[in-house]
PDB file of all heavy atoms in Angstrom:
ATOM      1  N   PHE A 139     105.701 115.232  59.731  1.00 98.00           N
ATOM      2  CA  PHE A 139     105.365 113.842  59.408  1.00 98.00           C
ATOM      3  C   PHE A 139     106.609 113.000  59.683  1.00 98.00           C
ATOM      4  O   PHE A 139     107.651 113.201  59.058  1.00 98.00           O
ATOM      5  CB  PHE A 139     104.951 113.729  57.947  1.00 98.00           C
ATOM      6  CG  PHE A 139     103.764 114.588  57.581  1.00 98.00           C
ATOM      7  CD1 PHE A 139     103.938 115.911  57.188  1.00 98.00           C
ATOM      8  CD2 PHE A 139     102.478 114.093  57.658  1.00 98.00           C
ATOM      9  CE1 PHE A 139     102.862 116.712  56.871  1.00 98.00           C
ATOM     10  CE2 PHE A 139     101.380 114.890  57.346  1.00 98.00           C
ATOM     11  CZ  PHE A 139     101.577 116.200  56.943  1.00 98.00           C
ATOM     12  N   ASP A 140     106.494 112.068  60.613  1.00 98.00           N
ATOM     13  CA  ASP A 140     107.657 111.298  61.068  1.00 98.00           C
ATOM     14  C   ASP A 140     107.375 109.809  60.854  1.00 98.00           C
ATOM     15  O   ASP A 140     106.590 109.200  61.583  1.00 98.00           O
ATOM     16  CB  ASP A 140     107.904 111.583  62.551  1.00 98.00           C
ATOM     17  CG  ASP A 140     109.271 111.107  63.012  1.00 98.00           C
ATOM     18  OD1 ASP A 140     110.085 110.711  62.157  1.00 98.00           O
ATOM     19  OD2 ASP A 140     109.523 111.136  64.231  1.00 98.00           O
ATOM     20  N   VAL A 141     107.988 109.239  59.820  1.00 98.00           N
ATOM     21  CA  VAL A 141     107.707 107.864  59.417  1.00 98.00           C
ATOM     22  C   VAL A 141     108.851 106.948  59.854  1.00 98.00           C
ATOM     23  O   VAL A 141     110.007 107.166  59.456  1.00 98.00           O
ATOM     24  CB  VAL A 141     107.508 107.770  57.894  1.00 98.00           C
ATOM     25  CG1 VAL A 141     107.094 106.362  57.490  1.00 98.00           C
ATOM     26  CG2 VAL A 141     106.482 108.792  57.418  1.00 98.00           C
ATOM     27  N   LYS A 142     108.551 105.946  60.653  1.00 97.00           N
ATOM     28  CA  LYS A 142     109.580 105.007  61.112  1.00 97.00           C
ATOM     29  C   LYS A 142     110.188 104.271  59.921  1.00 97.00           C
ATOM     30  O   LYS A 142     109.479 103.780  59.043  1.00 97.00           O
ATOM     31  CB  LYS A 142     108.952 103.991  62.072  1.00 97.00           C
ATOM     32  CG  LYS A 142     109.974 103.054  62.718  1.00 97.00           C
ATOM     33  CD  LYS A 142     109.310 102.136  63.717  1.00 97.00           C
ATOM     34  CE  LYS A 142     110.347 101.220  64.362  1.00 97.00           C
ATOM     35  NZ  LYS A 142     109.716 100.308  65.369  1.00 97.00           N
ATOM     36  N   ASN A 143     111.524 104.248  59.882  1.00 97.00           N
ATOM     37  CA  ASN A 143     112.271 103.623  58.779  1.00 97.00           C
ATOM     38  C   ASN A 143     111.920 104.243  57.419  1.00 97.00           C
ATOM     39  O   ASN A 143     111.968 103.584  56.393  1.00 97.00           O
ATOM     40  CB  ASN A 143     112.025 102.112  58.726  1.00 97.00           C
ATOM     41  CG  ASN A 143     112.506 101.413  60.000  1.00 97.00           C
ATOM     42  OD1 ASN A 143     113.543 101.748  60.537  1.00 97.00           O
ATOM     43  ND2 ASN A 143     111.710 100.449  60.464  1.00 97.00           N
ATOM     44  N   GLY A 144     111.557 105.524  57.468  1.00 98.00           N
ATOM     45  CA  GLY A 144     111.180 106.222  56.237  1.00 98.00           C
ATOM     46  C   GLY A 144     111.475 107.702  56.351  1.00 98.00           C
ATOM     47  O   GLY A 144     112.342 108.126  57.144  1.00 98.00           O
ATOM     48  N   PRO A 145     110.766 108.530  55.614  1.00 98.00           N
ATOM     49  CA  PRO A 145     111.048 109.966  55.588  1.00 98.00           C
ATOM     50  C   PRO A 145     110.505 110.706  56.807  1.00 98.00           C
ATOM     51  O   PRO A 145     109.593 110.226  57.489  1.00 98.00           O
ATOM     52  CB  PRO A 145     110.327 110.424  54.321  1.00 98.00           C
ATOM     53  CG  PRO A 145     109.165 109.481  54.234  1.00 98.00           C
ATOM     54  CD  PRO A 145     109.672 108.157  54.715  1.00 98.00           C
ATOM     55  N   SER A 146     111.079 111.869  57.067  1.00 98.00           N
ATOM     56  CA  SER A 146     110.502 112.786  58.047  1.00 98.00           C
ATOM     57  C   SER A 146     110.723 114.207  57.550  1.00 98.00           C
ATOM     58  O   SER A 146     111.810 114.545  57.066  1.00 98.00           O
ATOM     59  CB  SER A 146     111.140 112.601  59.432  1.00 98.00           C
ATOM     60  OG  SER A 146     112.474 113.036  59.445  1.00 98.00           O
ATOM     61  N   ALA A 147     109.695 115.005  57.611  1.00 98.00           N
ATOM     62  CA  ALA A 147     109.782 116.386  57.137  1.00 98.00           C
ATOM     63  C   ALA A 147     108.645 117.195  57.731  1.00 98.00           C
ATOM     64  O   ALA A 147     107.645 116.647  58.206  1.00 98.00           O
ATOM     65  CB  ALA A 147     109.725 116.429  55.605  1.00 98.00           C
ATOM     66  N   THR A 148     108.833 118.504  57.690  1.00 98.00           N
ATOM     67  CA  THR A 148     107.847 119.432  58.239  1.00 98.00           C
ATOM     68  C   THR A 148     107.370 120.387  57.154  1.00 98.00           C
ATOM     69  O   THR A 148     108.171 120.925  56.391  1.00 98.00           O
ATOM     70  CB  THR A 148     108.442 120.230  59.407  1.00 98.00           C
ATOM     71  OG1 THR A 148     108.795 119.335  60.459  1.00 98.00           O
ATOM     72  CG2 THR A 148     107.453 121.249  59.947  1.00 98.00           C
ATOM     73  N   LEU A 149     106.058 120.578  57.113  1.00 98.00           N
ATOM     74  CA  LEU A 149     105.451 121.583  56.250  1.00 98.00           C
ATOM     75  C   LEU A 149     105.036 122.760  57.140  1.00 98.00           C
ATOM     76  O   LEU A 149     104.245 122.587  58.068  1.00 98.00           O
ATOM     77  CB  LEU A 149     104.213 121.024  55.541  1.00 98.00           C
ATOM     78  CG  LEU A 149     104.458 119.912  54.521  1.00 98.00           C
ATOM     79  CD1 LEU A 149     103.110 119.362  54.025  1.00 98.00           C
ATOM     80  CD2 LEU A 149     105.278 120.407  53.346  1.00 98.00           C
ATOM     81  N   THR A 150     105.616 123.929  56.865  1.00 98.00           N
ATOM     82  CA  THR A 150     105.292 125.123  57.640  1.00 98.00           C
ATOM     83  C   THR A 150     104.457 126.068  56.789  1.00 98.00           C
ATOM     84  O   THR A 150     104.859 126.438  55.677  1.00 98.00           O
ATOM     85  CB  THR A 150     106.570 125.849  58.086  1.00 98.00           C
ATOM     86  OG1 THR A 150     107.330 124.954  58.920  1.00 98.00           O
ATOM     87  CG2 THR A 150     106.242 127.095  58.878  1.00 98.00           C
ATOM     88  N   PHE A 151     103.286 126.403  57.300  1.00 98.00           N
ATOM     89  CA  PHE A 151     102.370 127.303  56.597  1.00 98.00           C
ATOM     90  C   PHE A 151     102.410 128.659  57.288  1.00 98.00           C
ATOM     91  O   PHE A 151     102.063 128.787  58.455  1.00 98.00           O
ATOM     92  CB  PHE A 151     100.957 126.723  56.614  1.00 98.00           C
ATOM     93  CG  PHE A 151     100.851 125.374  55.960  1.00 98.00           C
ATOM     94  CD1 PHE A 151     100.977 124.210  56.716  1.00 98.00           C
ATOM     95  CD2 PHE A 151     100.661 125.257  54.589  1.00 98.00           C
ATOM     96  CE1 PHE A 151     100.903 122.960  56.109  1.00 98.00           C
ATOM     97  CE2 PHE A 151     100.590 124.013  53.990  1.00 98.00           C
ATOM     98  CZ  PHE A 151     100.711 122.859  54.749  1.00 98.00           C
TER      99      PHE A 151
END
Side-chain angles (χ1 to χ4, degrees):
F139 301 87
D140 194 9
V141 185
K142 186 176 181 179
N143 298 320
S146 69
T148 297
L149 294 174
T150 299
F151 300 93

